[in-house]
Amino acid sequence: MSLLHTPPNRPAGKSIQLMSTCLCDAFYADVAQATVEVLEFLGCDIELPDGQTCCGQPAFNSGDWANSRKVVRHTAKVFAGDKPIVVPSGSCAAMIFHGAPLEFEKEADLPVIRALADRTWELLDFIVHGLGVTEWPGKFDAKITVHRSCHLRGTKSPEAMATLLDSIEGLQVEPIDETEQCCGFGGTFAVTFPNISNSMGTLKIEKLIACKPDIVAAADMGCMMHFGGMMEKQGLPQKRMHVAQILRDSLKNAGKI
Amino acid sequence: MSSDRETIFSAIRAALDPLPKRTAKPDWPTELVISNPSGTFDSLKAQFADRLAFASGRYYDSVPVLADFLKAEGSILGYCDPTLISLFEGIEGLEIDTDFDDSKINDYTFGITRATAGVAESGTIMLTDTDTSCRLGALAPWIHIAVLNEADIVPHFPAAIERFGDDPSIIFATGPSKTADVEGILIEGVHGPGIQIALVISK
Amino acid sequence: MKTKQQIDRTARDLDPEVHDSNFMGAKLKSERRYNTLFRDYDDPNKLREIAGNVKQHTLEHLDTYLEQAEESFKRNGAQVHYAIDDAAVNAQVLRIMNETGSQTMVKSKSMLTEEVHMLDYLEKNGKTVVETDLGEFILQIDGDHPSHIVTPIVHKNRRGIAKSFEREGLGDYNDDPETITRRARKHLRQKYIDAEVGLTGGNFVSAESGRIVLVTNEGNARFCMAANKIHIAVIGIEKLVPTDRDLGLFINLIGRSGTGQQVTVYNQFISGPKKDSQPHGPEQMHVIFVDNRRTEVLASDCREILRCIRCGACLNVCPIYRQSGGHAYRSVYPGPVGAVLSPLLAGNRFPELADLPKASSLCGACNEVCPVNIPIPDLLLRLRDKAKREGAKEAMKGTPNLGMWATLCSQPTMWKTALSMGHTMNYIPTEMIPHPSAKSWQGARKLPKFEGGEFRKWFKKRAK
C-alpha cells in the first residue's frame, strides 16, 4: 500500500455491515466474535452479509489482478447498500479502500468499487473516529506489546488503537523498537520468499517479546497468523490476541458485558 | 545529437499527451523548508557559530587566535587571497603566498579565501567563483579558511539561494570533507579540506 | 529453506558478515534519517508531499522544462547534447574526449554511468578513467559494482579493502579506515591534476537558471572541476526542477533522507564554464541529457518513480533489502526503488527482472520515508500485474495459482461448503500436505487450527 489515506467523509452511523474476513471465517472465529461483542456493546446494529468470502487481497498482492477483481466484484455485490463497512483487519480494510480502486483504475465499474471503498473502516479507526469513543471502560491486568501492522501505516488506526488501549484500566502497553518494521507476512510473500519472511519474523518477534510481555497483540490476523505461527513453532509462551479480543475481555473483566 | 534531441522530445510529448490532467506546480511558502532552530541565539553570527561547530567546522572571529591554531597544527605554509592578506599583517611565523603556485599544491597546508555568504541555520559557507580567488586554494590544502563578513550571514538556504546571481560555480560547504564509505566509520578529510574554518569579520 | 525466488535464495546464502554489514548500515542510516528529519521539522511529511508534487509537476511538463533548461545552459555558455540510449551517451562522451585531445578522465559518482557501463566503454576505447568517490574507487580497483545507491561499498569490510590497496601498490596492509582514506586522498590527488576531463552526474537541474546541483560529502566533485579543462555532466532527463528556489526543498531533504545529515557537506551549483577571472576550472562545460528509456517510464503507469532523487532512504528502511543486500537485485538500482525502476529500464528484458517487484511484503515503509513521496508499493503492484499478464516466469515462480481460489471466493455456497469441510484438516498431520505453499509455510510456522464456519454459527445463534 502507498502511504494510506483513508477516504474522507465516510458514513459513520451505528447500523453497520461487518466484513468478518476470510481468516476469521476459517481460523479465528473468536476474533470475529469479539468484534461483534465490542460493536454491540457500543450499540451497533450489525448485519453480517451471508455471501461474503474474501476481500481479494491474496490475488491482488500476488499480481493476479484479474482474479482479484473477480473477488472484489463479488464483495461489492454482497456488501451493497450505504452502511459503514467495518473490518477487524487493517490489511483487508486497506484492500477495500485503497487496493480495490487501484486495480479497478481502468475498469468501467470503478465508480461501484469507489463507493464500496468510501464506506470501509478498519475496526479501531471506526470505534474512535467513526463513533467518537475515546475511552474504553474495561479492565485488563496484563503487560502487552503491540505489533503495528503495516497496513495501518498512514491511517488513523494506530492512534485509535493507542487511545483505546491506553485507557483500559490495568493494561500496560510497552513500546517496542522499530515499530515501522514489517513482520514479514505480506500475503503470498510469506511462501514465495520463505527465507526473508522468516528472518523478518524472527526480528519482529525478538522486538515484541524483548520486555517479556504476557500478551502480544495486533489488529490484523494476517500478521498474527505468520509471526504467531512462528512463535508457536518455537514454543514461545506469550499469548497472542487481536485487539478486539482485548477490548472484549476487558469489558468482561469490568463486568460491563 | 540533433536527431536524439528530436526523438527524445517527441517521446516525451507522446508520453504526456494522453494524461487527462497534469499536476499543477505547488506554491510552497519559504517557511516550509526552514528547519527548527537548535536553540535560541541573539544573533545570526551566534547561530552560525553553533551550527558550524555541529557540522565539525571551526569558528574564529580573531585573526591572532586563528594564527595560533594554525601554528599549533604545524600548518605554516599556505595560500591567501591577495585581497585578504592585510588581515594577517603583523602575524609572525606563517609563510603565506598570495599567488597560488600550482607546483606547491601538495605543500600548502592552508588556504584562505573569501566566502560570499554564510547560512546560519546550518553553519554553511557559500563560495562563488566571483569571490573565490582560486578554486584550488579553497579546496586542495588540508585547512580551508573562509573569510566571511558578518553582514553576509543569512538565516537559511532560501535566502542564500536568492543571492546566486549568474555565478557559474557556487558551493555550499558545511564542515570538512568527509566519508563514511568504509564500514560506516566517519573520516574527515577525504579529497577536500579536513579542517573547515570560518573566520568571521565585521567591517 | 527451499525457495524458487532468486532474491530469497541470495538472502539465504549470503555470507553472514556481508549480511551484517548491509543490515547494520541500513538500520543506522534509517535511524539517523528519522532523528534528523523529526528534529528539524515539525511535519516533515508536508515537505515530502510538496517535493513530490514539484517533481511530478516537472515530469508532467518535461518537454517545456527541458527546452527551458537547454536554453539556460546555452545562455550560460555550456554546450548541450542529447543521448537517446547507452550507446549514444557513451559515444558522445568519447567524441568530446577525442575532440578535445583528452586522454584521462576523473569522475565523481554517477549511477547513470553505471547504468550505461560508461567506464568499460571508455577503457575499451583506450581512455583512462578514474573513479574518485572513495567507495567507487574501491569498487573500480576490485572490478566490483555498487550495492547501494549512496554507500556503494556497504557490503565490504575494511580487511578486504586493505588487501585490495596492498595489491594495487597503495601501501602495506593496513585496515585502519583513516589510513585507507588518506592513501586514497594522496593517490587520487595526482589523478585530478593529470586529468583533462572531469565527469559528473547531476542530482538536480534548475531549468530556470541552467544550474546542475551536485550533492557530495567527499569533495571529489569539486576536484573534478578544478584542475581539468573540460567538464562533462551526464544527466537523466528526469532530474529537472523548475526553479532555483525549488532547490531549497531538495537540498534540505536529500541529506536528511539519505544519511541523516542536516545537509551534505558539499552542494555545488554549476551553470557553466569558469569565469575568466578564475584561474582554475573547466573552460568547457558539456551537459548531456540522457533518455535511456526514461521516456518509456514516463509513458507507463509507473511514471512516479522518475521523481526519485536517489537518496537511498527506501533501501535503508526496506526489510527485504536489509536481508538480501543490494547485489541480490542484479541491477544498478537495488532496493524498493530498484525493484520498480530496474525492470522498467530493462525494456524488452523486463521478464528477466520481473521477480524484483515481488521482493516486497508491501509494507509501505519505503513510501513513508521517500522524500518525494513515491507510492512505491502501488508501483510494485502494478508491475506484478504486468508481469502476470505478460506471463513473466521469474515473477510467477513460487506464487500459488489463485484461479481456483478466486472461483471459490465468488461462489458463497462453495465457499461455505469448503469452510465446513476444512475441519478435516485438523485431523491430518498438516506437515503432510503435499502443496508446495503449505510446505513453504510450515518450514518455520505452525498452521492455525481450522475453525471454518464457527463464527457464522455463533452469530446466528447468539442471544441478542
Side-chain angles (χ1 to χ4, degrees):
Chain A
M1 290 303 114
S2 70
L3 199 54
L4 300 168
H5 294 285
T6 45
N9 309 318
R10 284 172 294 177
K14 286 190 174 177
S15 177
I16 65 140
Q17 287 178 325
L18 177 66
M19 184 181 286
S20 58
T21 79
C22 65
L23 284 184
C24 289
D25 219 354
F27 300 115
Y28 303 106
D30 188 58
V31 173
Q33 197 174 316
T35 304
V36 169
E37 292 177 278
V38 160
L39 287 169
E40 287 188 339
F41 167 76
L42 294 170
C44 289
D45 177 36
I46 302 171
E47 177 196 339
L48 183 70
D50 190 55
Q52 65 178 293
T53 56
C54 169
C55 64
Q57 194 182 185
F60 174 70
N61 286 355
S62 301
D64 190 352
W65 285 14
N67 272 317
S68 175
R69 282 193 291 260
K70 197 164 146 184
V71 179
V72 170
R73 281 195 178 102
H74 170 75
T75 299
K77 210 162 63 191
V78 170
F79 283 86
D82 52 11
K83 292 179 189 174
I85 300 166
V86 180
V87 195
S89 156
S91 62
C92 308
M95 173 62 207
I96 300 296
F97 69 66
H98 181 85
L102 189 70
E103 65 177 348
F104 276 79
E105 264 170 344
K106 293 171 195 155
E107 302 293 312
D109 48 351
L110 174 65
V112 179
I113 303 305
R114 190 76 258 176
L116 178 77
D118 287 349
R119 54 193 183 90
T120 300
W121 294 82
E122 183 277 323
L123 172 68
L124 306 171
D125 187 16
F126 179 73
I127 293 174
V128 174
H129 302 110
L131 298 178
V133 175
T134 53
E135 292 224 18
W136 197 251
K139 192 169 168 326
F140 199 104
D141 285 317
K143 178 160 97 173
I144 70 166
T145 54
V146 183
H147 168 55
R148 200 269 327 245
S149 296
C150 294
H151 284 85
L152 305 182
R153 207 185 288 272
T155 72
K156 286 180 167 179
S157 294
E159 172 225 307
M161 179 154 66
T163 302
L164 295 173
L165 292 179
D166 288 348
S167 67
I168 293 176
E169 190 190 329
L171 189 68
Q172 187 187 342
V173 185
E174 288 291 324
I176 67 161
D177 274 352
E178 295 193 272
T179 42
E180 90 290 349
Q181 285 288 308
C182 173
C183 70
F185 176 52
T188 50
F189 172 82
V191 291
T192 44
F193 290 75
N195 297 288
I196 295 178
S197 171
N198 184 29
S199 304
M200 288 163 68
T202 304
L203 285 170
K204 181 52 71 179
I205 293 168
E206 224 172 74
K207 309 286 182 220
L208 283 167
I209 63 171
C211 69
K212 301 197 168 50
D214 308 310
I215 297 161
V216 171
D220 194 314
M221 292 317 292
C223 311
M224 201 96 100
M225 181 168 76
H226 155 69
F227 73 75
M230 285 183 72
M231 288 172 72
E232 208 163 302
K233 188 132 187 162
Q234 294 166 23
L236 291 167
Q238 289 79 10
K239 198 174 163 190
R240 274 119 24 218
M241 288 179 87
H242 189 286
V243 175
Q245 291 171 302
I246 294 182
L247 294 179
R248 188 258 327 262
D249 290 2
S250 76
L251 291 175
K252 281 188 175 162
N253 295 340
K256 306 276 181 180
I257 57 171
Chain B
M1 284 181 288
S2 68
S3 66
D4 281 15
R5 184 188 187 281
E6 294 325 308
T7 314
I8 291 171
F9 272 94
S10 57
I12 293 171
R13 290 186 185 115
L16 297 178
D17 276 347
L19 293 185
K21 60 177 180 355
R22 303 196 191 182
T23 308
K25 181 163 191 298
D27 188 19
W28 53 275
T30 300
E31 302 80 66
L32 182 73
V33 300
I34 300 171
S35 55
N36 294 331
S38 54
T40 37
F41 304 99
D42 42 15
S43 67
L44 288 178
K45 186 170 89 164
Q47 188 185 6
F48 174 81
D50 175 77
R51 293 290 85 193
L52 180 61
F54 182 76
S56 28
R58 302 180 71 97
Y59 172 90
Y60 290 93
D61 49 14
S62 150
V63 176
V65 177
L66 169 63
D68 287 345
F69 169 75
L70 291 177
K71 283 181 259 180
E73 287 284 304
S75 184
I76 304 301
L77 175 65
Y79 162 79
C80 180
D81 179 324
T83 66
L84 294 169
I85 190 69
S86 58
L87 289 170
F88 291 83
E89 240 167 58
I91 299 284
E92 301 277 315
L94 295 179
E95 206 179 307
I96 308 180
D97 284 2
T98 53
D99 238 343
F100 191 90
D101 181 347
D102 285 356
S103 70
K104 291 198 211 162
I105 185 167
N106 293 320
D107 303 328
Y108 292 131
T109 55
F110 62 87
I112 304 166
T113 69
R114 194 180 286 281
T116 302
V119 181
E121 72 168 340
S122 56
T124 300
I125 290 152
M126 174 168 151
L127 307 172
T128 60
D129 248 13
T130 313
D131 291 327
T132 305
S133 51
C134 81
R135 287 188 192 182
L136 283 171
L139 179 60
W142 181 251
I143 301 173
H144 175 231
I145 299 149
V147 179
L148 173 63
N149 204 331
E150 187 184 341
D152 290 326
I153 300 177
V154 298
H156 43 61
F157 284 119
I161 290 172
E162 277 175 29
R163 295 187 166 210
F164 273 4
D166 64 354
D167 201 286
S169 171
I170 297 157
I171 295 162
F172 288 172
T174 310
S177 147
K178 62 176 76 142
T179 185
D181 272 352
V182 180
E183 293 187 7
I185 295 159
L186 184 72
I187 305 291
E188 293 180 351
V190 191
H191 306 280
I195 298 175
Q196 179 65 58
I197 292 174
L199 172 65
V200 176
I201 56 168
S202 26
K203 68 167 185 203
Chain C
M1 271 179 278
K2 263 188 156 172
T3 183
K4 291 184 173 159
Q5 283 288 338
Q6 296 190 56
I7 292 179
D8 195 48
R9 199 177 309 132
T10 308
R12 183 193 65 190
D13 300 339
L14 200 61
D15 176 346
E17 212 177 321
V18 176
H19 169 276
D20 292 353
S21 309
N22 288 333
F23 184 90
M24 286 314 294
K27 186 171 177 297
L28 274 173
K29 276 174 278 179
S30 279
E31 286 167 2
R32 288 195 193 122
R33 170 201 168 270
Y34 184 88
N35 293 339
T36 308
L37 260 179
F38 284 83
R39 174 196 70 200
D40 292 350
Y41 296 103
D42 296 335
D43 186 6
N45 289 330
K46 186 90 190 144
L47 240 88
R48 300 190 312 111
E49 205 174 299
I50 289 188
N53 283 337
V54 169
K55 286 286 282 193
Q56 190 70 18
H57 161 80
T58 318
L59 290 167
E60 291 177 6
H61 300 81
L62 190 57
D63 47 347
T64 316
Y65 285 117
L66 192 55
E67 215 154 40
Q68 191 190 0
E70 178 186 325
E71 281 164 26
S72 305
F73 279 117
K74 285 181 176 165
R75 189 177 62 231
N76 300 340
Q79 299 177 50
V80 179
H81 315 270
Y82 289 88
I84 189 79
D85 58 13
D86 49 355
V89 64
N90 288 335
Q92 184 62 255
V93 171
L94 182 66
R95 190 174 310 121
I96 295 168
M97 288 189 77
N98 285 336
E99 282 172 9
T100 54
S102 307
Q103 180 54 35
T104 304
M105 168 191 286
V106 280
K107 70 179 286 290
S108 70
K109 196 162 154 40
S110 148
M111 294 307 288
L112 181 50
T113 59
E114 297 279 343
E115 204 181 303
V116 301
H117 308 289
M118 186 179 288
L119 212 141
D120 290 348
Y121 174 85
L122 292 174
E123 286 182 342
K124 271 188 198 125
N125 283 280
K127 303 296 182 192
T128 306
V129 183
V130 183
E131 292 280 3
T132 60
D133 173 88
L134 179 60
E136 297 284 346
F137 170 70
I138 291 164
L139 292 172
Q140 187 184 18
I141 61 177
D142 281 355
D144 197 355
H145 295 284
S147 69
H148 189 285
I149 299 174
V150 176
T151 49
I153 55 166
V154 68
H155 60 288
K156 288 184 183 288
N157 63 40
R158 62 175 86 188
R159 296 184 302 286
I161 298 167
K163 279 184 207 148
S164 304
F165 271 44
E166 191 181 20
R167 187 192 62 222
E168 297 294 317
L170 295 171
D172 295 339
Y173 180 94
N174 187 326
D175 62 14
D176 166 40
E178 183 153 2
T179 307
I180 289 169
T181 308
R182 295 287 169 269
R183 286 176 173 177
R185 177 183 172 99
K186 187 161 176 260
H187 174 76
L188 290 168
R189 181 59 63 94
Q190 198 54 43
K191 305 286 177 196
Y192 293 123
I193 295 166
D194 296 341
E196 298 97 345
V197 174
L199 184 133
T200 69
N203 294 81
F204 310 102
V205 175
S206 158
E208 169 194 51
S209 63
R211 244 184 258 282
I212 67 167
V213 186
L214 292 163
V215 178
T216 69
N217 277 313
E218 298 183 2
N220 56 321
R222 285 180 71 186
F223 248 120
C224 289
M225 275 174 269
N228 48 298
K229 295 299 170 209
I230 316 287
H231 171 212
I232 304 173
V234 289
I235 299 171
I237 53 172
E238 80 281 19
K239 298 291 180 187
L240 296 181
V241 299
T243 65
D244 283 0
R245 182 173 179 275
D246 293 319
L247 297 174
L249 281 165
F250 298 100
I251 61 172
N252 271 304
L253 275 169
I254 193 166
R256 289 184 174 95
S257 301
T259 53
Q261 290 168 277
Q262 182 184 11
V263 62
T264 44
V265 176
Y266 299 117
N267 285 269
Q268 287 170 261
F269 306 84
I270 308 298
S271 58
K274 72 173 183 75
K275 285 200 170 191
D276 290 341
S277 57
Q278 173 61 244
H280 304 134
E283 288 155 6
Q284 288 182 25
M285 178 185 185
H286 296 266
V287 177
I288 309 177
F289 283 118
V290 184
D291 181 346
N292 209 31
R293 298 192 190 280
R294 282 155 176 74
T295 50
E296 282 177 30
V297 182
L298 190 65
S300 77
D301 56 5
C302 292
R303 69 180 63 82
E304 290 92 341
I305 201 68
L306 294 175
R307 292 183 204 161
C308 175
I309 61 171
R310 311 283 190 263
C311 70
C314 64
L315 279 68
N316 300 336
V317 81
C318 177
I320 284 79
Y321 166 83
R322 286 183 181 185
Q323 295 300 334
S324 70
H327 286 159
Y329 293 78
R330 315 188 305 279
S331 50
V332 173
Y333 303 102
V337 61
V340 178
L341 195 55
S342 297
L344 289 168
L345 292 180
N348 56 13
R349 286 178 41 248
F350 172 81
E352 289 171 34
L353 295 177
D355 60 313
L356 267 54
K358 300 283 271 201
S360 165
S361 61
L362 303 170
C363 80
C366 47
N367 186 186
E368 196 170 52
V369 300
C370 176
V372 283
N373 202 26
I374 301 172
I376 295 177
D378 287 359
L379 306 186
L380 292 170
L381 281 158
R382 286 197 175 116
L383 290 178
R384 289 181 184 189
D385 173 50
K386 174 179 153 79
K388 168 78 179 168
R389 278 186 285 107
E390 295 175 5
K393 287 196 192 71
E394 286 304 320
M396 303 324 296
K397 283 180 182 168
T399 300
N401 189 322
L402 292 159
M404 280 282 287
W405 165 88
T407 305
L408 190 64
C409 290
S410 315
Q411 314 260 352
T413 321
M414 275 173 69
W415 174 261
K416 281 185 277 185
T417 312
L419 283 182
S420 59
M421 280 167 46
H423 280 273
T424 52
M425 300 261 288
N426 293 332
Y427 305 104
I428 59 165
T430 46
E431 281 79 3
M432 303 283 284
I433 305 170
H435 195 275
S437 295
K439 279 202 177 319
S440 182
W441 178 266
Q442 295 184 102
R445 316 167 187 94
K446 286 265 193 197
L447 268 178
K449 187 170 160 278
F450 213 79
E451 301 178 339
E454 283 182 17
F455 164 65
R456 292 180 190 235
K457 264 187 256 165
W458 172 87
F459 187 82
K460 274 189 195 134
K461 279 193 198 150
R462 82 198 191 289
K464 265 185 90 172

